[in-house]
Amino acid sequence: MTSSRDTSFIGAPRARRVVHGLAGAVVLALTISGCVSSGPTPAKPLSPAQRSAAHVPPPGKASLARFYKQALAWSDCLQNSCAKLTVPIDYAHPEGATIQLTVVKVASTNPSERIGSLVVNPGGPGGSGVLYAAGAKFTEPVRAAYDVVGFDPRGVATSAPVKCLNDRELDAFLGGDPTPDNKPEELKLANTAKNFAQKCKANGGALLGHVSTIEAAKDMDVLRAALGEPKLNFLGKSYGTFLGATYADLFPAKVGRFVLDGAIDPSITSSQVNEGQAVGFETATQAYVKDCVDKGYCPLGTTLDSGMARLRDFLKQMDASPLPLSDPYVKQLTEGWASLGIAGPMYDPQAWPNLTDALRQAFAGQGGPLMKLAEAYAERTTTGAYNGNLMQVIYAVNCLDRSDVKALSHYESEARSLTASAPTWGPFLAWSSVPCGYWPVPANNAPKKITAAGSGPIVVVGTTRDPATPYKWAQGLAAGLQNGHLITYNGDGHTAYMRSNPCVDDAVDAYLVKGVVPPPGLKC
């Protein structure tokens, strides 16, 4: 199996927009092999006391007992083991309809050293935890200590996926004008957002109102019990940090060893998410342009300021006169597609040379290479199909987690404000959450400070120039947690653990394997 980039961005990071805007995910696109005959090495059996402790439902939730007592039936798949976890659609009415979540287990490499299960989530919202767990890389001590377990959250990928648009409708949605310049364009964007919301209402079914992060966190506690774990050990990246923090808020006594990397601050509003990502992507783009200029022969020019201006001019050019493409369905590289193509490489500096080459060709009139980067970000294949449903379910989750407004005057004001602080990405992010203003289901969550009082230690990792989840979000989450511990990585890209820095890797591994909490103020 091979892996490509992590994803998140609006509707991405939302695209995968972490919460509404640019991005917030670490989705690894993997080539999946078929089922194989050899299964994993069996883990040590749990003691009766461990299993009894694991299967107790939350106080006052006796009606959930049948879910908490279920046993997972593992079968060979993905060169590992897969199972289905049954959960109620509506936790307020657990006697009602249910859905099944796909779960994968990558067994410990040394059962004699195994200490439990490590549940992982790559972000999104909408990233496949199944593919992430099956392809993620960990150090040998972690692989020996844990069965790595991934699951597709409700509404995502193979777990009752929410799909609002067909592939051609999604092409049009992603390629639309993300930065309206006048009233007619604003109304067109609003109508597109309204149509998207209506399509989700028509096609989403009963689950559309029950794909919030709160409900996914409750699913994780059912999974914990089904795995026979008295406490949940968890690694969440990007949006996965919000999922993990929400779990810790709901079930602080069940928090085991928690690592939240590329953190979202649960206390911030939708507007603050957009502002943070606008500044984050602006900072990351400046780092990219400076690197390009410093290396010489940069198609953007010879200075940072001229390079940033060249990028903005190019996006305006794509708005006015898109480049032709040979794709059978997407005929033009619009501003929407070009924005995704530029945003994707901001997640990983190793992708910067590819962006430079794509921009050089785009400036010469060839938009294909930049479109390929946009497709990688959107998980769109060469045949025009989409892998998974991240680019759609991201709105379904975000809009339940944070409400927004319909008034176009609100977004006009946001665009003016964000343009001042982030001229390249501000307008894009300011308008990114319009669909949530038309969402057919009211939000069931609201921004709040999460303390997770009484929990075990929670390790938070923040990268100083992270585009999708700005460093100050990690600072905010860690400071709010009663038992939060911050690791700072001074670097570029989205998330840090197992990506670029041995100092971060060693500290996280010491915590996951030995329970050693990082020293206060650790900087890497």
Side-chain angles (χ1 to χ4, degrees), residues 172-522:
F173 179 75
L174 296 177
D177 182 1
T179 59
D181 302 311
N182 50 50
K183 281 293 183 182
E185 290 185 358
E186 289 180 10
L187 291 173
K188 183 176 180 179
L189 186 150
N191 286 334
T192 298
K194 183 177 181 180
N195 178 68
F196 178 80
Q198 290 175 337
K199 290 271 190 175
C200 288
K201 181 179 180 180
N203 301 328
L207 187 60
L208 184 66
H210 297 284
V211 292
S212 70
T213 300
I214 288 176
E215 288 153 315
K218 292 179 178 180
D219 292 343
M220 283 210 303
D221 200 53
V222 175
L223 175 59
R224 172 198 60 76
L227 292 170
E229 299 289 351
K231 292 190 176 184
L232 179 70
N233 302 309
F234 179 75
L235 168 65
K237 293 198 170 188
S238 196
Y239 162 80
T241 67
F242 185 49
L243 178 59
T246 301
Y247 179 92
D249 187 46
L250 293 172
F251 308 101
K254 298 296 185 182
V255 170
R257 295 177 186 176
F258 259 50
V259 177
L260 307 180
D261 181 14
I264 296 172
D265 185 345
S267 69
I268 60 178
T269 65
S270 175
S271 292
Q272 290 171 322
V273 169
N274 290 344
E275 178 187 12
Q277 287 196 326
V279 173
F281 271 89
E282 197 78 18
T283 300
T285 305
Q286 289 171 346
Y288 157 69
V289 172
K290 184 178 185 304
D291 179 77
C292 181
V293 168
D294 288 347
K295 288 179 177 177
Y297 303 102
C298 179
L300 293 167
T302 58
T303 68
L304 172 60
D305 289 344
S306 65
M308 295 296 292
R310 181 70 178 93
L311 269 183
R312 289 191 289 272
D313 290 343
F314 171 69
L315 290 173
K316 290 179 181 178
Q317 177 187 342
M318 293 305 94
D319 184 23
S321 302
L323 291 175
L325 295 171
S326 60
D327 186 284
Y329 304 111
V330 178
K331 302 296 185 182
Q332 294 180 316
L333 181 71
T334 62
E335 180 189 359
W337 284 115
S339 296
L340 294 182
I342 296 169
M346 294 304 109
Y347 288 85
D348 186 353
Q350 293 186 19
W352 290 357
N354 294 334
L355 175 58
T356 298
D357 182 65
L359 287 172
R360 181 177 286 109
Q361 295 190 58
F363 295 166
Q366 302 298 319
L370 190 57
M371 182 64 190
K372 291 298 182 185
L373 293 178
E375 287 179 320
Y377 185 79
E379 299 186 341
R380 185 180 188 269
T381 70
T382 55
T383 64
Y386 287 83
N387 290 323
N389 65 327
L390 185 151
M391 304 302 286
Q392 303 186 56
V393 72
I394 193 165
Y395 289 97
V397 176
N398 286 333
C399 296
L400 289 183
D401 285 344
R402 288 176 171 82
S403 61
D404 227 302
V405 299
K406 292 182 181 179
L408 294 181
S409 58
H410 166 79
Y411 301 101
E412 292 172 352
S413 176
E414 294 275 290
R416 287 192 296 270
S417 176
L418 295 189
T419 298
S421 56
T424 309
W425 294 107
F428 184 95
L429 270 300
W431 290 97
S432 69
S433 48
V434 175
C436 291
Y438 293 92
W439 208 246
V441 185
N444 72 349
N445 201 355
K448 65 175 180 178
K449 180 180 178 180
I450 287 179
T451 64
S455 79
I458 298 176
V459 173
V460 179
V461 185
T463 299
T464 56
R465 292 181 294 281
D466 190 316
T469 51
Y471 176 62
K472 68 177 182 178
W473 292 358
Q475 292 176 300
L477 174 59
L481 292 168
Q482 185 185 79
N483 204 348
H485 303 266
L486 179 64
I487 297 174
T488 298
Y489 169 50
N490 181 17
D492 298 295
H494 183 42
T495 74
Y497 177 59
M498 290 303 296
R499 195 181 67 80
S500 58
N501 189 269
C503 170
V504 173
D505 297 347
D506 291 347
V508 171
D509 282 359
Y511 174 60
L512 288 176
V513 177
K514 300 178 181 179
V516 177
V517 176
L522 177 62

